[in-house]
Amino acid sequence: MSGPRHLRVAVVGSGPAGFYTADALLKSEDPPVAVDVLDRLPTPWGLVRLGVAPDHENIKAVSRAFERTAARPGFRFFGNVDVGSAVTPAELLERYDAVVYTIGAQTDRRLGVPGEDLPGSWPATAFVAWYNGHPDYQELPFDLSHGRAVVVGNGNVAIDCARMLALTAEELAPTDTVDAAERAIVGSGIREIVMLGRRGPVQAAFTPPELQELGELAGADVHVDPHDLELDAASAEALEHDRERARRNVDLLREFAARPAKGLPRRIVLRFLVSPVAILGEERVEAIEVVHNELVEQDGRLVARPTDRRETLPCGIVLRSVGYQGVELPGLPFDAGESIVPNDGGRVRGVERTYAAGWIKRGPSGVIGTNKKDAVETVDALLADARAGLLKAPDDGDLEALLRDRDVPFVEYAGWQAIDAAERAGGEPLGRPRVKLTAWSDLLDTGRGVQSRS
Ligand SMILES: Cc1cc2nc3c(=O)[nH]c(=O)nc-3n(C[C@H](O)[C@H](O)[C@H](O)COP(=O)(O)OP(=O)(O)OC[C@H]3O[C@@H](n4cnc5c(N)ncnc54)[C@H](O)[C@@H]3O)c2cc1C
């Protein structure tokens, strides 16, 4: 690029945090910044493409804002570049004035109960990645032939999993759910989907719009036992002073509890104050054993304490949705307790010119928009360091030359646009937003060698 020397920044990860970071950097005039965004996948957008539920197309539309960022001068994309194996953090620091890690939370949190690894017990991360077309998860043998599925967890991802299992052929048809998942869901033998919440309805993590949607499904009744909505004194008190969310959730749950069943083919049962203690089965999942909890106050918050009441619920599949978790990237510090890269307002502790944003900075919480504020905080810190003269790469080498030397088959932004166009063209005659390419070979064959104009 011509004009004053640009600060050269690599952003590792192309999810919302990566794109909000790139956007804030590319808007800087003092200093002007050139940004390379790297991702281990050939496709950008992170969980917007591979996490957000396929029937939430309006939410996926945030990628249009990311496309505008990618169109800014100074932006480059390097897909199919796994930082840690294709190139190391140290090699990036040699070539960039600063590096921002926005690698999200790549794995699931464990329940820590016996039987967790029995066939038929799956982390929600895998189920979500499967129905969304993540190329690493397409061979997984999800068996939906059993009558009951259990979803452990009471957040929006748990609701996504329960809802996806309950969608009808007509509801799935206009989405970009991958074919194998769509066929399995439509042909599934699942008649009941039970969601298990550790604490009570007032403490549930899901949000009212997602809860409301469960009550609007074409093929599933929603069932709540009115006894589960009899609040203990502390929860009732918490509700009095609530936050909008719990109050609206409880109103919706009361409405569900009062509703007569319509006799739809499937039903979703919302249970509260129960935790799994074991997943049972000889060769595969046959049941889940739960303990009934009571709420007690601990350090100013209401926590679940197990009672001696237990119950066994026969089921054929368990989806564990108790949170995502960051993964250590070799060459970067890692706080194993919090599963984040330790940082102060985005400055990674103990490593020069290195920053973090998004889920790997603060943990897996918040909506897509939360990552914008978070990214801006990190970029403010980075630009302040640049103005203070603290950022300067030792070397002016270019990443592209290194990747070519190593025969890393990277995908440029134009390559992603070719993938995008092929997917949209595949979806058009079917009235779907896209038919995703889900095999590494198809993604790379379509995206490789298509060069972006700089
Ligand atoms: C199932 C699910 C559904 C959700 N639905 C909604 C919703 O409906 N609405 C909403 O507002 N929010 C939703 N969210 C939350 C939202 O997706 C997150 O807030 C957001 O994606 C986090 O952004 P991020 O950039 O930190 O991480 P991510 O989106 O996970 O992006 C991280 C990126 O880093 C890349 N990466 C990882 N490791 C490496 C490496 N070593 N080298 C190179 N690249 C790497 C990954 O491939 C990925 O592209 C949902 C989350 C989940 C899990």
Side-chain angles (χ1 to χ4, degrees):
M1 297 176 72
S2 54
R5 182 185 182 279
H6 283 63
L7 192 75
R8 291 156 22 115
V9 180
V11 175
V12 182
S14 67
F19 268 87
Y20 289 131
T21 299
D23 196 66
L25 286 167
L26 290 165
K27 283 178 180 157
S28 162
E29 289 174 2
D30 174 25
V33 185
V35 178
D36 288 349
V37 174
L38 286 57
D39 204 288
R40 65 172 291 272
L41 292 173
T43 55
W45 321 149
L47 286 169
V48 169
R49 177 178 163 92
L50 298 168
V52 171
D55 62 333
H56 283 173
E57 183 61 20
N58 56 335
I59 290 170
K60 290 186 188 268
V62 67
S63 58
R64 289 201 205 109
F66 303 154
E67 286 168 359
R68 289 194 289 278
T69 301
R72 286 181 174 275
F75 175 93
R76 292 193 304 179
F77 178 65
F78 290 93
N80 197 36
V81 177
D82 183 68
V83 174
S85 60
V87 54
T88 65
E91 287 166 338
L92 290 179
L93 273 183
E94 283 163 18
R95 286 162 182 81
Y96 292 93
D97 301 313
V99 184
V100 187
Y101 287 88
T102 63
I103 52 177
Q106 298 296 310
T107 191
D108 61 295
R109 215 184 278 156
R110 308 268 304 163
L111 285 177
V113 301
E116 185 160 10
D117 294 318
L118 271 175
S121 163
W122 296 98
T125 41
F127 184 61
V128 164
W130 175 63
Y131 64 61
N132 264 315
H134 192 304
D136 288 342
Y137 292 82
Q138 295 310 296
E139 303 304 322
L140 299 182
F142 287 98
D143 177 356
L144 309 184
S145 64
H146 304 265
R148 183 183 285 129
V150 168
V151 180
V152 182
N154 240 354
N156 281 342
V157 176
I159 288 207
D160 278 352
C161 292
R163 193 183 66 253
M164 284 301 294
L165 284 172
L167 292 183
T168 60
E170 292 71 30
E171 286 168 320
L172 284 163
T175 73
D176 63 5
T177 310
V178 299
D179 280 352
E182 186 183 342
R183 274 197 307 275
I185 293 168
V186 171
S188 107
I190 295 172
R191 293 292 161 258
E192 185 170 281
I193 301 141
V194 183
M195 271 178 64
L196 303 180
R198 179 166 53 110
R199 297 194 289 160
V202 174
Q203 294 80 30
F206 46 63
T207 47
E210 281 67 26
L211 180 61
Q212 183 166 352
E213 247 184 304
L214 285 187
E216 295 166 352
L217 298 176
D221 283 309
V222 59
H223 175 82
V224 182
D225 184 340
H227 289 115
D228 275 357
L229 303 179
E230 289 164 7
L231 303 180
D232 60 288
S235 292
E237 156 99 21
L239 198 63
E240 282 294 304
H241 306 104
D242 173 58
R243 316 174 341 205
E244 181 68 356
R245 183 179 74 188
R247 192 187 299 272
R248 284 180 57 208
N249 277 345
V250 170
D251 286 348
L252 280 165
L253 291 165
R254 287 188 174 137
E255 197 254 298
F256 291 168
R259 225 187 239 194
K262 293 185 199 150
L264 295 171
R266 290 175 176 145
R267 74 172 196 161
I268 298 177
V269 180
L270 298 164
R271 301 273 314 260
F272 296 95
L273 289 169
V274 276
S275 299
V277 285
I279 298 175
L280 309 172
E282 288 290 320
E283 306 278 313
R284 51 162 298 108
V285 172
E286 292 168 22
I288 186 164
E289 185 182 359
V290 299
V291 61
H292 289 245
N293 298 325
E294 58 190 6
L295 289 175
V296 291
E297 213 165 318
Q298 203 178 75
D299 304 329
R301 58 188 292 269
L302 286 174
V303 299
R305 185 169 67 190
T307 65
D308 50 16
R309 234 181 101 205
R310 294 196 174 196
E311 178 185 339
T312 300
L313 204 59
C315 61
I317 184 166
V318 174
L319 299 175
R320 308 175 323 253
S321 179
V322 293
Y324 280 50
Q325 188 164 302
V327 171
E328 181 167 8
L329 195 154
L332 265 197
F334 189 66
D335 176 337
E338 300 277 327
S339 299
I340 57 169
V341 170
N343 68 91
D344 298 305
R347 290 182 178 98
V348 174
R349 280 188 212 138
V351 199
E352 57 157 0
R353 301 183 284 120
T354 300
Y355 303 81
W359 276 13
I360 196 62
K361 169 185 173 186
R362 65 173 198 280
S365 67
V367 291
I368 293 166
T370 318
N371 300 295
K372 185 166 187 176
K373 197 166 154 254
D374 182 299
V376 166
E377 180 193 49
T378 295
V379 170
D380 284 347
L382 187 158
L383 293 175
D385 291 350
R387 286 178 207 121
L390 301 175
L391 306 184
K392 175 79 184 84
D395 178 356
D396 267 345
D398 188 45
L399 175 71
E400 186 170 338
L402 179 76
L403 296 175
R404 286 193 193 285
D405 265 4
R406 289 186 179 164
D407 287 331
V408 176
F410 61 89
V411 172
E412 297 181 48
Y413 193 71
W416 152 245
Q417 288 174 310
I419 294 171
D420 188 36
E423 290 186 341
R424 286 181 190 280
E428 231 239 69
L430 306 170
R432 313 187 125 193
R434 63 181 64 238
V435 172
K436 282 181 179 166
L437 301 184
T438 58
W440 279 98
S441 54
D442 292 340
L443 288 161
L444 294 180
D445 287 351
T446 311
R448 276 282 298 142
V450 186
Q451 270 156 21
S452 300
R453 279 173 296 145
S454 47

